[in-house]
Amino acid sequence: MRLLLVEDDPDLAALTRTDLVKAGFAVDVADNGIDAEHLGDYEPYDAVILDLGLPGRPGIEVLKSWRAKSNRVPVIVLTARDQWFERVDGFKAGADDYLGKPFHIEELIARLRALIHREHGRSANALETATVRLDEDLQQVQVANEPPHSLTGTEFRLLRYMMLNAGKILSKPHLSDHVYDQNSERDSNLIEVYVRRLREKIGAHRIVTKRGQGYVFNDPT
Ligand code: CA
């Protein structure tokens, strides 16, 4: 899952980014409304965290502009705690959720998860298919009643994305786009390496290669 964090307070942005990366998200940061709008137009984010008070262009205008261009990316707006009218404006502009500042990072992560799961037609709690259960807090995967395996950061991001998109063919460039932030080295051959490692942990037949197209996560009972 790749996020865009739009926040002009450099300390808050850095702190939040660190925590989101630890929670298994690839995160790009924009510190003004103009860069934010541009990134949201061109990069395939899974969700956006959008501060409203921004230099360059207000967050509300950025959001309205995305929605006017039919960009449906899930957006959580950050509002001032007591400013109920900011929340109303946010929803009117097309926000999916809001969080009042100051916030606890745990709440932001819980809201992001719920929003992303909902977007993929899943309930807000554990991410599981017929036999595979991904624990998003511990970043561990368990198959049936076997002992759980710990996952590295990239393995976790990749498996979560594939499980949320189970049954869909996902090309290597597409997976790179959702697993790495914009500053990472984007070598889609690396995806092959991580797929091989995941296959060792969850069983090779659960990630099917579609020659010339990509991979499909498939968990038959
Ligand atoms: Ca601000």
Side-chain angles (χ1 to χ4, degrees):
M1 296 293 129
R2 182 164 162 216
L3 308 177
L4 175 61
L5 170 62
V6 188
E7 172 57 65
D8 59 315
D9 174 336
D11 295 334
L12 180 60
L15 212 67
T16 307
R17 183 179 185 279
T18 303
D19 286 333
L20 290 173
V21 168
K22 245 183 261 167
F25 295 100
V27 185
D28 294 338
V29 177
D31 65 2
N32 67 81
I34 293 163
D35 289 350
E37 184 174 338
H38 183 79
L39 282 167
D41 282 343
Y42 293 102
E43 299 292 334
Y45 293 110
D46 295 294
V48 176
I49 301 147
L50 181 64
D51 186 31
L52 294 183
L54 292 171
R57 192 153 197 218
I60 282 288
E61 296 304 318
V62 173
L63 180 53
K64 280 184 187 162
S65 163
W66 285 336
R67 296 311 189 220
K69 287 177 267 191
S70 299
N71 182 343
R72 296 299 318 153
V73 64
V75 173
I76 298 180
V77 293
L78 301 178
T79 66
R81 178 64 73 184
D82 304 321
Q83 310 282 322
W84 62 269
F85 48 88
E86 280 193 2
R87 304 199 288 272
V88 174
D89 288 348
F91 283 121
K92 279 186 184 162
D96 299 275
D97 200 358
Y98 75 92
L99 192 54
K101 282 177 159 183
F103 56 85
H104 291 281
I105 190 70
E106 292 83 358
E107 185 175 358
L108 177 59
I109 290 166
R111 285 180 182 275
L112 278 169
R113 257 186 217 168
L115 196 56
I116 289 168
H117 282 204
R118 196 156 70 226
E119 192 69 10
H120 289 85
R122 294 185 165 271
S123 63
N125 38 26
L127 183 48
E128 50 193 334
T129 57
T131 51
V132 181
R133 186 176 194 284
L134 186 66
D135 186 320
E136 291 173 277
D137 293 316
L138 299 176
Q139 303 188 13
Q140 286 183 340
V141 66
Q142 187 171 20
V143 179
N145 294 320
E146 292 169 19
H149 293 280
S150 294
L151 299 169
T152 65
T154 307
E155 288 170 356
F156 174 71
R157 292 197 302 277
L158 185 59
L159 183 58
R160 174 157 63 178
Y161 193 80
M162 294 186 105
M163 286 179 72
L164 280 167
N165 291 283
K168 291 186 197 153
I169 299 176
L170 305 167
S171 70
K172 284 188 272 184
H174 177 100
L175 288 168
S176 292
D177 267 346
H178 290 270
V179 165
Y180 295 112
D181 64 44
Q182 63 171 354
N183 296 322
S184 297
E185 189 93 29
R186 298 288 191 85
D187 179 357
S188 58
N189 289 324
L190 269 180
I191 296 289
E192 266 175 50
V193 174
Y194 288 105
V195 164
R196 197 179 317 135
R197 291 189 196 163
L198 285 176
R199 280 175 168 156
E200 284 166 12
K201 292 181 177 176
I202 65 169
H205 63 288
R206 291 195 173 87
I207 301 177
V208 179
T209 301
K210 296 280 180 190
R211 198 165 288 279
Q213 299 180 74
Y215 301 105
V216 181
F217 179 90
N218 182 25
D219 183 24
T221 38

